[in-house]
Every structure is written in C-alpha cells, then in structure tokens.
Amino acid sequence: FSWEVSCLRNDKSQPTLIPLTPQILNLSADFSTYTLYLKWNDSGSVFQHELDASWQIQILYKETMETINYDSKLTGKDSILFWNWTSDIPLECTSYYVKIRCYINELYFTGRKEWSEWSPVRTVPEKDTKPNSAMVFPQDKVVLVGSNVTFCCLYNEGKSVKFMNYGSESYPLLRLSKWSSAIKVQNVNASIPSGTNILCSLVPDDLEGTVLFVGYAPDTPQNLNCETRTFITITCSWNPGRPTALYTKRQTKYILFERISREKVTCKVDELNEKHHCDFPVHANQKIYNFTLGASNPLGQAESSLLIDVNQRVHLETPDKFTVSTNSSTNAHLSWYIPGNFIKIRLLCQIEISNSNSERQLNVSMAGAENSNYRARVDALHPYGTYTFRVRCSASEYFWRWSKWSEGKKLTTLEAPPARGPDIWRQRSPVGETLTVFWKPLLLSEANGIILSHEVSCYLRERMLKAYEVPVPLNSTEIKLGGNDCLISVTAKNRAGSSPPSKITSVDLPSDNVKTELAIATGNGIYISWHSDPNVTCGYTLKWCISSGSEPCSVDWEMFPSNAIDAVIKSALFQPGVRYNFSLYGCKHNGYQLLQNITGYMKELPPKVAPNFTVEETSSDSILVKWEDIPVEDCQGFLKGYILYFAKGEKGSSKTSFMEEGSPELTVKNITDLTKKSLRILDLQGKTSYRLDLRAYTVGGIGPSKDLYVVTKENSVGLIIAILIPVAVAVVLGVVTSILCYQKREWIKETFYPDIPNPENSKALQFQKNICEGNTALKTLEMNPCTPNSVEVVETRSTVLKIEDTEIISPVADSELPEDGSDPGTGSHVVVSYCPPIIDEEISSPPIDEPVGSSQVIYIDIQSMYQPQVNPEEEPEINFVTTAGYKPQMQLPINTMKMESHAPTEEDLDKTAGYRPQANTNVWKLDSPDSPVSIQSNNENGSFGSPCSINSRQFLIPPKDYEDSPTPNNTGWSFTHFFQNKPND
C-alpha cells in the first residue's frame, strides 16, 4: 500500500487516505463443489503497526452481481489472504468474474478515508467462452436427500431449450445467459439405485442429459463385534444402520484399522446385506486388539471402535465329520472334527442325547488341538434304545458362545434281557377247573428288545407241573387245574434272554356281603376309593373289563400297594358315557379275596334316550303317568332323577313356546326318588288337553324328551252343577214372577187380557134402565129360535157394514124387490134372511099396539156374512170409522172393496188397531132428537146409536173358514190377537 494525499488549495481542503489498488494473485475453482478460491497479498509491510482492513469482493454471474465483505488485520508485514465462495449453481453453467478493493480503518487518521480502486477483473479459467457443444450440469452429482439442486443446460448459439425434466416431471426454465438455461428442484428424494435422470430437450432436435444420485451419509456402524473362530483370523461384524440408497462405486466404503499394530484392512461388503463382515489376521504375540471401523461415501463418513481380548472371544466353527458307533447295549462312541488352531486353550463340548421320550445334554471338557478330530464316550444308554446325537463346542476357560449344532446322527443300542417280568392276573372259570392267566405286554423301555414269546408255568410246592410257551401277540392262556391250586409263573423272552418271573397264586378266598360302590368321574379318568384292610399284605388289584362291539371282553387290571386307599384309573380305551364295572381284590398270604365291586364312568353324559312313559289313568282333574327304566347302556351316567313338564297344549303346538321359561302355564316336577315309577298329576281342569314332557337327567345333563298329549275327562259334578244352577235360577225366577203376577193379576188382566164384552151380559143394556122402562117404543132384540125367513130392513144410509175386513150385503138384495116396487138403488129397504139363535127362554110377544116400523134394526144373513156380494160402483161414500152402531174389535182394511173416493190415512189405520168398543159412545146422545127417548124424533134409525141397540148376537170371531182366508193387509198388531179364542162370558 501507499499513501496518496491530495492537498486542496482552499482553506477547507484536508488530506485523504486511499489505499492502493489490490492485485489478485490467483483465482481457482472446484467444479465438483461449486467453489471459487481467491488468493491475494495484503501488503501490510508498509505499515509499522497493526491496522484494520476491510475488503469488498464482487462476483458477477448470471448477468447479476454479488458483493461480499471480508475483514482482516494488517500486521506490519506482507501476508497472503485466502477466501472461498460456493455457488448455488454449477460453475460450468455460466461465467464468473471476480474483483476486489480495500478500505483502511485508521482510528487516528483525522482526514477523509476512501475505498481503493477495484482490482482488475479475473475470470474462472477457460469458462469465459461459449460452449463448444450442448451439455447438462452437474454431471453424475451425488447429493443428500432434501437438498435443493440447480441443473443447467448449455447450448450453442442458434439453439434454445424446449423443456427440462427431472425424472418424469417438467420444471420451469430459468435463463442464465444467452447460451445457458437452468431449472431448480427443491427437496429431492432418495433416488433409485441407478439414479434419477435429468433431460434437456433442445430446438430443433437435440437431447442432452445427466444423472443425479440422491442418498444419505453413512450411519455409524452398529453392534460392532469381533471374535475368532479358528485363532487364524478375527472376524468383525456390524450392522450398517440406515441404508444410504447409494450403490456400486458410490456406496459406503469400510476400513478396519487396528491401532496397536497400526494395520488396516479394506473391507468388501455387499450393501444389500443386513450384516456386514470383515476379517483381520491374528498376530502370534498379540492378545489385545483395538479396532476402529470407518465408513465413508461421497456424502460423509462415520466410525465405531472396539477393544477385545482374542482369547475371550472364541466362537468355534460348527463341528464337522460327526460319527456315532456302538458295540454295547448301554454306551456309544462319538467323533467329530473342528478346524482351527486351539493348542493354547481347552475346549468344552456339549453332546445332546435324545429319544422319543426324553432329551438330555452331556458336557465334555478336552484339550485343544490343531485341525484335529475330537472323541467322546456316552454311557448309561438304554438297551435296544434308539437315540439321536449331536454336538457343539466352545472355549472352556473363557466361555463366549457355543458353536452351531452339528448334524444329528441316530443310533440303536444292542438288546438285553427284559428288565422285569410282565404284570399278570388270573381268572378262574365258574366251574373252577380252568384258570385263565392274563399278562400285559412290557413297555419298550422294559422289554430291552423285541419280545418273542412268554413262558407260563404252574408250580405245586416248588415242583413245576405244567409249562406253556405262548408266542406274541397272545397275552393270555388257559391252564387245567384239575381241582388243584398252584403257583403261576410268567416270563418274557427276547433274543438276549428271559425276564425275571412274575408269580401269582390261583387261590380265591371266599367273600361275603360284597357291596357295590359308585365311582366318581373325573373327565379323564375314574376315581375309585376303598377302605383299608389290615389283612391285605401283598397289595390290591383292581380289575375291569372293556368290551368293544362284537369282540370279546378285554380284561385289564392295575395293582396298588397295601397302604393305598384310592386311585384314579386312566385308560386310552375309556369312553365318555360308558359304564365300567370294577372288582377290587385284596392279596393276602393265602390267596386273593374279592373285597368290593365298583361301577363308574370316566365322564358322565346326558341320557341318550328319553324314558318310555304312558298315561295309565285320567280323570276330570288328574292324570296318572307311569314310566319304565332307561337301559343302562343308554343312561350314559348315574341317573339323578326325572323332570316332568306339563302344561295346556294342543297337539302340534310349538315345543319352544311350551318349554319357554317363566310361562305361567308350565309346571315342572322334579322326581328324585328313582324307585318311583309313577306320578299322579292333580288339580287339572276337566275336558282340557295337556302336553306332558318327561326327561331323565344325570350329572352330565338333561337327556332328550318324550312328550304325550292327553285330554282330561269331563267333570260330571261340574256338569250337574252347571245344569242345576240355571234350573234353580229359572225356578226361583218363575216363583218370584208368579208371586208378582198373582199380586198384580188384576192389573195384568186389565192391561194384557181385557174381557171381551158379551152382548147378552153387556152392561150397556143395563145403564139408564129408566130410559127403556115405560117406553114401549124402545125394545131390545129378543132372540128366539126360528126358521130362516125374510125380514125387511129399512136402511137410510148404507147397505154395507164393515165387519172384520168383510163386505156385508144381503144375497137377496139383488133379486128381491120391496113390495112397493121401488128401485133398490134409490130406496132404503133391504130384505135379508134372518135366523135368530134358538133359546129356551120364552120371549113375550111384542105389544100389539107397537108399530112395526117403530124400531128398525139391521140383520145380517149369518151364512152370507163372510161372503160379501156388493157392487162397489153402487156404494155411497161412507166414513166407516165414525159410523154409529156395533164396532168389531179389530178395524182392518177392507181388501175386497174398491174405494175410489176415500183412501184411509195413516191416522185412520192407527185408529183401527187394537181393541175397539162395540158401540160408538160418541153418538150416544140420549137427549138428541135421534135418541129413543126423544118422542119428537123422526129418525127411523135412531135406535142404531142408542145404548139399547147393541144387544146383538152378531159373531165377533170369524168361523173356521175365515181363519184360512188371506191375511189382511193391515200390519197393525194388538194384544187382542192372543185372546181371540177366549169364550164369551
């Protein structure tokens, strides 16, 4: 540096501090890391003391400029300063220009201080020219997962970029210069093993590209372990940790470095394996090894360390060439080979011996050898036993790990005589002359070989009477005793010899009062207990027999010591729900005695069938049910009782609804007394259908059901009561009604049964007797027997009278004419036939002085009374209802009359119904001019409306012929109909 001081001529001028222009010594680039390296001299020797200097570095690229500040100290001597800068895009993508200037910060300088001039511009070597051919940068770059990467495409002038893809995705273009464009990819993911392709398509037709590898830096090696297998090499193994996603030449490289010997080994590993291995040689005089395992790849590095004593890290190889041999029934010889030099240590080998029933290990310690065979002997094997052997080894003094097991080898030892005699039992025939001897086959572990036969002998006082050779598979034989008891001996034979004899006596001691007890099912066996007998000296024998279908019964037994009082009998032949019978024998000094019988089940099940039951008797309120015992083979357990369900139900009703819990109709009876075979069900309803369901049950559950339907008989007492009660009620009601009717008889008679007036006894002729007394002009009609004759009747109004729906007209009215010859249609005289009833009472002749026409009464021909012959056209209009004179009891419509001028109304019809008086009292006017008492009356028919004119003998009830005539149209009804046949008083 040098001082440049400018002195101004005016008074305001002052000195200025301006450093000299710095010179760049070197500008270099690392294209793989996108880094520029700058070197220059600070020229600090021009100053005598330290000064603070500031530097400004400008970098021009992408047609933009970036300025960086850098501070340093001037120490009074020349120093070379270094500075580097990393770009965010590949250095190949564009030209880079660098210049620098300086500023001195002198605190004691009071003048003005300024920046120096910029140094000459330096460029990145050989990159300040346009490309010769199209290329994409960076080339085969390796970056960390999650990085942001910029890719540029260089091309010649005259061309342009159509698009750029990262993988399968297209990105927007960034223009860097006139011959380069770029794309920027954010947060890149791990690439596939072959990397991710970047393509640049140029116009017109050109395609360039590159590959990007994205992965992770190596993880710290995990679970580093080093051990020796042969004392020739040390094998170190480790887990690489997280996969780096980088392969082939970019994959992680491992170097195993031993610090004590300063020796290192490059490890060759497969990146795809989960476990990596590396071998290091064992040095003759070195026991301690300090290993450092380094891992590195283009993105980073890691390491892990381990210190070991090789004698304590022995892990032998798997024993090889393993052989097994024997020449005995109880031992075997083993041999195997282990590679390696183990002269300095002892080995511990473990031999595994296994057969179908057991497995055990035998440890054997032996001296080490170099690449040698090792041998061992195994004793205490079982004769004629098949075994499987295998071996593994380790260091004896410092146990580290067992080697892997060798392959297994099988061996069968030689045979030996059977270890013991077979279990035997005997059974005397009912006659007692034949004894059947049974024995059980020996177990394979007891037979010590293949049993070929059994020898059965009979001894009497140590003298053999008989001997039998019974080949297998027979397990019984018969001996003829001939009435003598003997001692039975049975031995088993194989190729190696005979077993010790098993002996039993044929003597059976007498037994009295042998009881049968029940055993308890345990689910997998039968629990049996008994009372201890002090006389039993040689144990107890429990015998049973199992029958399987059509095959004969198979005898089985089990023996117990003299102090035993219970046992659980198990057998593979036992089946659930099958009853088994046991016999307990006690062995005494002079023979066997039957102590008790036991019956039981291995497991109790519900009964197989339902009990067979019937209804023996029924009544109106009870049912007697009887059932039979279930066969033993169908019980499948000990019966505990029966359950009887009964309820009202018809045949075909649902069984589910019948058995529904909580049903108010359902009744359940539990019968626990097994001696009962019948039950009477009481309190039932008569003539009702009941459903009965009977089931048996055991400890194992309730068996199937059988149901019956029964209808109870009709309740006769109830029926009688049901009949008597209504009858009694009817009688009581009748008596009460009769009493009431008797008390109210007058009212009832007047209301419902009024008397029909008798003209002869009518009081109408008796009231106001003074009217007729002394008046010769007023007479009542006197009825005397006579022969029919013609009577001339003078009628001034109508020749027709309405009587019970019949037109009344004389049959001779049309044929006979009055004496004066007048026309009947205009006159009022009618000639009818009259025949008064014959009576015994003699009627006095009328007074002579009485005029003939003074009393004019209408008489009707009795025979033609109900056969009207009238011409309706000649009939004058008459009000039949109000006509004076006699009225019938029923005023019914006249069917045979054609009344054109008068139609009866509903009110008129109502007036015709019911009882009517025989005389119209409304026209009884005693003082009227028409009345009989009126002397001045000129009315010739005045007697018709008088009370004295109703003493008539006219028929009120029609004859039989009329009853059969058609019914009148009038629907009116009256109580009088019920009394029409009542005789006159």
Side-chain angles (χ1 to χ4, degrees), residues 34 77 92 151 211 256 266 284-285 318 385 406 432 540 592 599 614 616 657 712 732 787 795 890 895 924 971:
Y34 309 164
K77 59 181 180 180
E92 298 92 343
F151 300 93
V211 178
L256 184 62
T266 300
N285 299 321
T318 304
S406 67
Y540 297 93
Y592 283 86
T599 182
T614 58
E616 294 292 324
S657 61
T712 55
V732 172
T787 57
E795 180 64 53
M890 294 293 291
N895 296 333
W924 290 355
T971 59

Side-chain angles (χ1 to χ4, degrees), residues 440-490:
K440 292 181 181 180
L442 292 173
L443 298 176
L444 185 60
S445 60
E446 300 170 339
N448 292 342
I450 300 176
I451 301 299
L452 302 176
S453 64
H454 291 84
E455 185 179 276
V456 182
S457 303
C458 180
Y459 291 88
L460 179 61
R461 297 176 185 177
E462 299 183 359
R463 182 171 62 89
M464 186 174 67
L465 299 179
K466 298 177 182 179
Y468 303 89
E469 188 80 17
V470 182
V472 293
L474 298 178
N475 61 350
S476 66
T477 187
E478 290 185 354
I479 298 176
K480 300 293 184 179
L481 295 178
N484 296 321
D485 288 314
C486 64
L487 183 65
I488 307 301
S489 173
V490 179

Side-chain angles (χ1 to χ4, degrees), residues 139-170:
Q139 288 287 323
D140 300 336
K141 180 74 173 176
V142 180
V143 299
L144 285 170
V145 173
S147 300
N148 300 328
V149 184
T150 300
F151 300 93
C152 66
C153 182
L154 304 181
Y155 49 88
N156 297 326
E157 291 189 23
K159 292 186 178 182
S160 63
V161 177
K162 186 186 303 181
F163 62 84
M164 291 184 70
N165 284 357
Y166 177 77
S168 60
E169 187 175 354
S170 179

